[in-house]
Amino acid sequence: MPHSPALSAAMSLDSQPPSDAQAPASRKPPFFFREEYAGLIVKGNFMTLAAKPKLVEEGEWLAHQVVEQYRLLEQMIDIIKVVDERTGRPVCNPEVCPTMSASGHTYTWLDNQKKPIKIPAIQYINLVQKWIVGKINDPSIFPTDTTFNSAATYASGSLSTPASTPIPAGPTSLNAPLSALSGRDWLGKASGFPETFEADIKSIYRQMMRCYAHIYHGHWLEPFWNVNAYKELNTCFIHFVNVGKLFGLIGDKEMEPMQPLIELWLAKGLLPQPQQLQAAQLTGKAEAQGSVQQPAPGTAA
Ligand SMILES: [Zn+2]
């Protein structure tokens, strides 16, 4: 699916693209905030997919989740990198998307002087991908990378690094001496993850959220609607949001550009309500027993 054939070939008369789908200033909300376009390709409860198996340490589980979430996001990103045969250019290119924007938000990257700069969305996304793959493959950050090496094969080889490589914003502070950390506890410590692990995966999650926001606000109609892949996009995104909410990896403010769709899924019971989240966190985060008793998802619809 990521490498869909000709984009235009998938267009058909019985699925007229909604004309105002992506007009941010339009009085109507974007189409992807409407219930009829909020469908998924799987049935079931995403809590089951997100819930930590009882015997797995939380750091291990979140490392696994982050790698898996990145793998899914990458498939969606690949779709906006497909060359549109009508223009001979990738769907997301600097002309169409001169900045990394979503619903009035413009995300900036930091240059070498830590100065926020606006760069074309595709350049931003390429840098995010390179940055995330670097984190995932860094054994000092993800020490169990031998188990989770699938992302390595997806490294964005086409990336041409600019002369002054911008660095991502993020609270990362690596290389804290282990001796200074004894006696303290942190997420993933038991599995050998560094103290910065939690901040790192939250940074990764924040950047992935921005990619989803741009994909929806910039490219829902073209290409996701046109190639009939919007349900796949929804499915990847709801899983991403569910894990993020369940484990506190992302805040409401960061999800704001997509809030109407999230509300819609909340109202349908597809995402945990705040009180369910609290209950899950009180019982030692969401473990795959007790708080989750739904049938496994995965049924193709
Ligand atoms: Zn774009």
Side-chain angles (χ1 to χ4, degrees), residues 190-242:
S191 299
F193 291 90
E195 195 175 13
T196 53
F197 176 67
E198 185 172 356
D200 277 325
I201 58 174
K202 285 180 174 173
S203 295
I204 291 172
Y205 231 78
R206 184 166 57 243
Q207 295 294 345
M208 290 200 288
M209 177 68 221
R210 293 177 177 187
C211 292
Y212 273 117
H214 178 75
I215 286 171
Y216 270 98
H217 285 276
H219 301 286
W220 184 84
L221 178 64
E222 171 58 44
F224 286 90
W225 168 268
N226 285 338
V227 301
N228 199 25
Y230 67 97
K231 286 184 181 172
E232 280 84 353
L233 175 61
N234 284 343
T235 306
C236 293
F237 184 56
I238 195 174
H239 185 33
F240 172 84
V241 171
N242 191 37

Side-chain angles (χ1 to χ4, degrees), residues 84-136:
D84 185 336
E85 63 181 13
R86 291 165 296 182
T87 64
R89 308 189 67 188
V91 175
C92 184
N93 64 64
E95 212 167 280
V96 178
C97 305
T99 59
M100 181 66 172
S101 301
S103 181
H105 299 254
T106 296
Y107 304 112
T108 53
W109 201 261
L110 297 182
D111 69 7
N112 285 340
Q113 279 74 49
K114 306 237 169 172
K115 192 165 110 346
I117 50 169
K118 289 180 183 174
I119 55 177
I122 197 61
Q123 189 189 355
Y124 188 107
I125 289 168
N126 281 334
L127 286 165
V128 164
Q129 291 191 273
K130 192 185 181 201
W131 177 72
I132 292 176
V133 169
K135 292 258 181 201
I136 288 172

Side-chain angles (χ1 to χ4, degrees), residues 25-290:
S26 156
R27 278 176 223 93
K28 288 182 185 172
F31 269 64
F32 50 83
F33 288 157
R34 297 185 189 179
E35 185 164 359
E36 60 262 47
Y37 301 111
L40 308 168
I41 57 165
V42 295
K43 288 178 178 160
N45 191 308
F46 282 82
M47 288 287 276
T48 315
L49 274 180
K52 181 177 81 65
K54 193 167 175 52
L55 296 177
V56 176
E57 191 270 322
E58 187 170 336
E60 291 272 3
W61 181 243
L62 290 183
H64 164 73
Q65 281 294 336
V66 165
V67 172
E68 175 65 8
Q69 293 294 341
Y70 178 67
R71 189 183 68 80
L72 295 172
L73 170 63
E74 192 171 52
Q75 292 178 8
M76 300 300 108
I77 290 173
D78 281 349
I79 293 176
I80 64 168
K81 289 184 178 177
V82 169
V83 173
D84 185 336
E85 63 181 13
R86 291 165 296 182
T87 64
R89 308 189 67 188
V91 175
C92 184
N93 64 64
E95 212 167 280
V96 178
C97 305
T99 59
M100 181 66 172
S101 301
S103 181
H105 299 254
T106 296
Y107 304 112
T108 53
W109 201 261
L110 297 182
D111 69 7
N112 285 340
Q113 279 74 49
K114 306 237 169 172
K115 192 165 110 346
I117 50 169
K118 289 180 183 174
I119 55 177
I122 197 61
Q123 189 189 355
Y124 188 107
I125 289 168
N126 281 334
L127 286 165
V128 164
Q129 291 191 273
K130 192 185 181 201
W131 177 72
I132 292 176
V133 169
K135 292 258 181 201
I136 288 172
N137 291 329
D138 183 342
S140 72
I141 302 170
F142 277 70
T144 55
D145 65 334
T146 49
T147 323
F148 305 119
N149 60 4
S150 62
T153 58
Y154 290 92
S156 40
S158 61
L159 175 66
S160 55
T161 310
S164 64
T165 308
I167 53 171
T172 306
S173 60
L174 291 175
N175 307 321
L178 276 176
S179 56
L181 305 175
S182 57
R184 277 190 276 159
D185 202 10
W186 62 83
L187 177 67
K189 184 181 181 184
S191 299
F193 291 90
E195 195 175 13
T196 53
F197 176 67
E198 185 172 356
D200 277 325
I201 58 174
K202 285 180 174 173
S203 295
I204 291 172
Y205 231 78
R206 184 166 57 243
Q207 295 294 345
M208 290 200 288
M209 177 68 221
R210 293 177 177 187
C211 292
Y212 273 117
H214 178 75
I215 286 171
Y216 270 98
H217 285 276
H219 301 286
W220 184 84
L221 178 64
E222 171 58 44
F224 286 90
W225 168 268
N226 285 338
V227 301
N228 199 25
Y230 67 97
K231 286 184 181 172
E232 280 84 353
L233 175 61
N234 284 343
T235 306
C236 293
F237 184 56
I238 195 174
H239 185 33
F240 172 84
V241 171
N242 191 37
V243 168
K245 280 179 168 283
L246 206 52
F247 294 97
L249 299 179
I250 192 151
D252 289 344
K253 188 163 170 39
E254 287 146 345
M255 289 189 283
E256 194 195 320
M258 295 306 300
Q259 198 57 37
L261 180 56
I262 292 168
E263 297 286 343
L264 220 152
W265 285 331
L266 271 169
K268 290 166 88 85
L270 294 169
L271 286 170
Q273 296 289 340
Q275 57 268 33
Q276 291 175 281
L277 283 175
Q278 274 184 347
Q281 277 150 14
L282 284 175
T283 54
K285 300 272 182 178
E287 294 196 337
Q289 76 169 40

